[in-house]
Amino acid sequence: MSVSAVPGGDRGRKPRVALFVTCLVDLIRPSVGFAAVKLLEDAGCTVDVPVQTCCGQPAFNSGDRGTARDLAEQVIEAFRGYDYVVAPSGSCAGMIKAHYPELFADDPNWLPRVNALAARTYELTSFLVDVLGVTKVDASYEGTVTYHDSCSGLRELGVRSQPRRLLASMEGVTLVELNESDVCCGFGGTFAVKYSDISGAIVDAKTKHVSETGASTLLAGDLGCLMNMAGRLSREGKEIEVRHVAEVLAGMTDDPPIAAARDPRRS
């Protein structure tokens, strides 16, 4: 990591990074948050986890702009003063970076602060590779993995090569590309609830492609996608581990895979 990554060229100072944990990570898979902290600290950052709330994406996608804006204002306040804001989620980072400016476009009092926050907000693997220049992670993982490109990270933030580059630096990992890796998994937040039949058909096609790779582990960068695919693979009886890419990159894979039963002896 080069100290020139600090905004303004303040050499000799570690970048001060605020982790946007995300609701799903906080409530469902905290290990992803701890893995993100480890990766950021290993890369030379000072990491804080401010008291935070939802980014507002569910409300925004449902057309409730008032609630989305109320939540966004809380996020903007909570993440003031940091060099960077990093999220282990393309969808949440995409909400802040791509859609907050849209949400506040007609408000000249808020827009400068919104644009400033958007400019320093990144998805985790993109931040490590594109900002900090990380080329190798000090972890190993034995097995064949395949990778699903989550819609928001790919299309809103350009996250595709970065996780693959980091995985390629690890010992023991063999990456097998997934057919139609850039096609939606069928989650889409509230989409999966409103249009469950369509969502089910989409994830069926996705898990078919996952099985065809022969990989023992499925990785992605968004927990919502991972939960959706892991649930369907489990119901299909497929013995394919599903993990967030941050867990593997950080070497923190002691927790059971997503949707797998926890060993009661370790509770």
Side-chain angles (χ1 to χ4, degrees), residues 89-101 121 123 152-153 156-157:
S89 162
S91 62
C92 295
M95 177 64 191
I96 296 171
K97 200 171 186 72
H99 298 299
Y100 275 18
T121 298
E123 182 274 339
S152 294
E156 294 177 349
L157 304 176

Side-chain angles (χ1 to χ4, degrees), residues 33-258:
F34 291 114
V37 170
K38 182 179 185 300
L39 288 166
L40 291 166
E41 289 182 340
D42 287 351
C45 299
T46 298
V47 183
D48 290 337
V49 183
V51 176
Q52 56 196 266
T53 186
C54 175
C55 67
Q57 181 182 181
F60 181 81
N61 290 344
S62 298
D64 184 356
R65 296 298 180 95
T67 299
R69 178 174 170 129
D70 288 343
L71 292 168
E73 288 180 2
Q74 295 180 55
V75 171
I76 295 163
E77 287 295 326
F79 288 86
R80 292 177 64 184
Y82 292 96
D83 296 325
Y84 299 102
V85 176
V86 175
S89 162
S91 62
C92 295
M95 177 64 191
I96 296 171
K97 200 171 186 72
H99 298 299
Y100 275 18
E102 175 186 348
L103 191 59
F104 290 86
D106 297 329
D107 191 333
N109 293 321
W110 277 91
L111 191 57
R113 293 165 59 187
V114 170
N115 288 336
L117 176 63
R120 62 179 189 273
T121 298
Y122 292 86
E123 182 274 339
L124 176 64
T125 62
S126 173
F127 180 69
L128 291 171
V129 172
D130 299 332
V131 178
L132 298 184
V134 174
T135 59
K136 180 176 176 57
V137 293
D138 186 19
S140 62
Y141 186 80
E142 295 297 329
T144 302
V145 306
T146 193
Y147 195 89
H148 164 72
D149 296 296
S150 301
C151 294
S152 294
L154 177 66
R155 292 169 177 81
E156 294 177 349
L157 304 176
V159 178
R160 188 181 192 282
S161 64
Q162 300 92 329
R164 289 169 171 82
R165 189 179 307 178
L166 295 174
L167 288 167
S169 75
M170 297 179 62
E171 294 183 3
V173 172
T174 300
L175 175 65
V176 179
E177 285 295 344
L178 175 65
N179 185 28
E180 297 186 350
S181 66
D182 60 346
V183 173
C184 179
C185 73
F187 178 60
T190 54
F191 173 86
V193 178
K194 292 181 178 179
Y195 306 102
S196 58
D197 290 344
I198 299 174
S199 173
I202 294 172
V203 75
D204 282 345
K206 178 62 67 171
T207 56
K208 178 177 181 292
H209 290 319
V210 171
S211 298
E212 289 171 347
T213 66
S216 59
T217 304
L218 169 63
L219 304 176
D222 268 275
L223 189 52
C225 302
L226 289 162
M227 291 167 56
N228 189 45
M229 296 182 291
R232 184 50 59 100
L233 286 167
S234 177
R235 291 189 290 274
E236 292 172 346
K238 303 291 176 58
E239 294 185 358
I240 299 173
E241 292 193 0
V242 180
R243 294 187 179 276
H244 193 286
V245 67
E247 296 174 307
V248 171
L249 292 174
M252 297 173 64
T253 55
D254 288 341
D255 281 359
I258 298 167

